[in-house]
């Protein structure tokens, strides 16, 4: 099979397309024919080993992923595709099922095939979405859901999503709305209308505002950008909490992302409460360019990778 390998840490060019042996599923695994993946901020952090991050962050990441190079040479956290084969003890899935997944530190999504444990974060994909659209749901959707639940979002609350136009932010706006919250968003000028169309009101342009209005108060401020980036506006948002309000960052802890949460997102997609937002699509052959674009940190929503199987038929939409 064809796959993009990362044999050492570095710039996007360290990713190389190679032919590698097809994986074989164990008894508790499914073999997935991968038809779409995604390039996320986590993907380029891992590939680059975040050279500008604090030393403690880099050491912790390398202990998890690999000291001198990734132990799993095929990266990629997100996939959508079809079940090609099931192990002898698998009961949740059948051959032909359309699935999507967050592979966590198993990685493996930048390839034509990968194996996943039945117990991993994998679920039946929404029937209404193409494979590319399905690949735009798990990363931002699962992280946003985890942190909104951590922030105890509820009916009638006021929520501010700082970084509302990224993969996590666009999902957070929609999810908070589905939970009955009133949502405000912060983003750049080119994405104001997008964030407003997702249900945020007001939408604040961080390039023209250095502080929130004195009357603006929020039960939850969700920092979907992360702690490594700060600004006067972000500090103003932190100070704009109601009594008992909460400030939650996407960098807080290591979230648990169970398959049940992915199934919950499927339900929201099917009711129209959650829609994928795709900025750009690249074929696997352009994985280097895709990583370069995402590393520039100006993407909107999600960047999707399409993975061709010219030798096979089936639904590759």
């Amino acid at each position: 099979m064809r796959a993009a390998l990362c044999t050492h840490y570095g710039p996007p060019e360290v990713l190389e397309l190679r032919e590698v042996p097809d994986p074989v599923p164990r008894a508790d695994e499914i073999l997935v024919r991968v038809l779409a993946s995604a390039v996320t901020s986590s993907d380029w952090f891992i590939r680059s080993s975040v050279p500008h991050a604090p030393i403690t962050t880099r050491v912790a990441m390398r202990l998890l992923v690999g000291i001198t190079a990734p132990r799993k040479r095929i990266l990629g956290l997100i996939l959508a595709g079809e079940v090609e084969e099931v192990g002898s003890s698998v009961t949740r899935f059948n051959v032909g099922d359309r699935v999507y997944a967050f592979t966590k530190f198993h990685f493996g999504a930048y390839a034509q095939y990968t194996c996943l444990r039945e117990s991993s974060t994998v679920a039946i994909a929404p029937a209404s979405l193409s494979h590319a659209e399905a690949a735009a749901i798990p990363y931002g959707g699962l992280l946003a859901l985890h942190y909104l639940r951590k922030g105890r979002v509820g009916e009638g609350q006021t929520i501010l999503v700082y970084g509302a136009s990224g993969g996590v932010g666009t999902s957070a706006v929609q999810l908070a709305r589905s939970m009955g919250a009133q949502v405000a968003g912060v983003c750049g000028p080119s994405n104001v209308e997008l964030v407003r169309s997702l249900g945020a009101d007001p939408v604040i342009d961080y390039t023209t505002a250095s502080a929130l209005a004195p009357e603006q108060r929020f039960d939850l401020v969700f920092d979907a950008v992360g702690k490594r980036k700060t600004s006067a506006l972000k500090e103003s948002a932190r100070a704009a909490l109601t009594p008992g309000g909460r400030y939650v960052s996407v960098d807080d802890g290591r979230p648990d992302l169970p398959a049940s949460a992915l199934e919950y997102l499927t339900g929201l997609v099917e009711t129209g409460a959650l829609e994928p937002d795709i900025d750009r699509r690249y074929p696997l052959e352009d994985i280097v360019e895709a990583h370069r674009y995402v590393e520039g940190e100006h993407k909107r929503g999600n960047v999707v990778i399409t993975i061709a199987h010219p030798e096979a038929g089936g639904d590759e939409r």
Side-chain angles (χ1 to χ4, degrees), residues 102-158:
F102 194 131
T103 67
K104 301 181 181 178
F105 288 108
H106 173 77
F107 302 118
Y110 293 165
Q112 289 178 312
Y113 294 92
T114 195
C115 291
L116 295 173
R117 286 185 177 176
E118 179 184 30
S119 59
S120 64
T121 307
V122 56
I124 299 295
S128 60
L129 300 184
S130 68
H131 294 295
E133 291 168 334
I137 294 293
Y139 184 79
L142 286 170
L143 290 174
L145 180 63
H146 170 83
Y147 287 108
L148 291 177
R149 285 176 169 174
K150 181 176 181 178
R152 303 190 296 279
V153 173
E155 184 78 30
Q157 290 187 329
T158 55

Side-chain angles (χ1 to χ4, degrees), residues 17-49:
L17 287 179
R18 297 186 188 177
E19 291 291 331
V20 298
D22 290 357
V24 177
R26 297 176 180 175
D28 63 344
E29 292 181 333
I30 59 173
L31 175 66
V32 179
R33 179 174 174 243
V34 184
L35 294 165
S37 183
V39 178
T40 70
S41 56
S42 295
D43 289 310
W44 79 259
F45 288 172
I46 292 163
R47 184 218 74 232
S48 68
S49 188

Side-chain angles (χ1 to χ4, degrees), residues 161-217:
V161 178
Y162 193 99
S165 61
V168 177
T170 53
S171 295
V173 171
Q174 297 178 80
L175 290 172
R177 289 275 296 168
S178 76
M179 296 170 179
Q182 174 67 41
V183 185
V186 174
C187 64
S190 62
N191 295 317
V192 167
E193 290 308 315
L194 164 68
V195 174
R196 185 174 288 120
S197 73
L198 297 175
D201 183 27
V203 181
I204 302 161
D205 175 1
Y206 71 81
T207 66
T208 59
S210 58
L212 299 175
E215 69 274 10
Q216 289 179 304
R217 291 290 182 267

Side-chain angles (χ1 to χ4, degrees), residues 218-292:
F218 301 96
D219 300 304
L220 173 68
V221 173
F222 174 39
D223 173 14
V225 174
K227 296 176 181 177
R228 63 197 180 87
K229 287 190 174 183
T230 188
S231 67
L233 181 58
K234 185 185 283 192
E235 292 307 309
S236 174
R238 184 187 290 272
L241 294 173
T242 59
R246 297 165 299 283
Y247 187 96
V248 176
S249 169
V250 74
D251 289 334
D252 290 342
R254 291 177 59 189
D256 181 29
L257 307 173
S260 59
L262 194 52
E263 291 166 350
Y264 176 82
L265 295 180
T266 300
L268 292 180
V269 171
E270 291 173 342
T271 63
L274 178 63
E275 297 181 357
D277 183 78
I278 298 176
D279 182 356
R280 296 188 181 185
R281 305 183 191 207
Y282 294 87
L284 181 63
E285 289 70 22
D286 290 341
I287 189 69
V288 170
E289 183 57 36
H291 264 249
R292 186 179 295 115

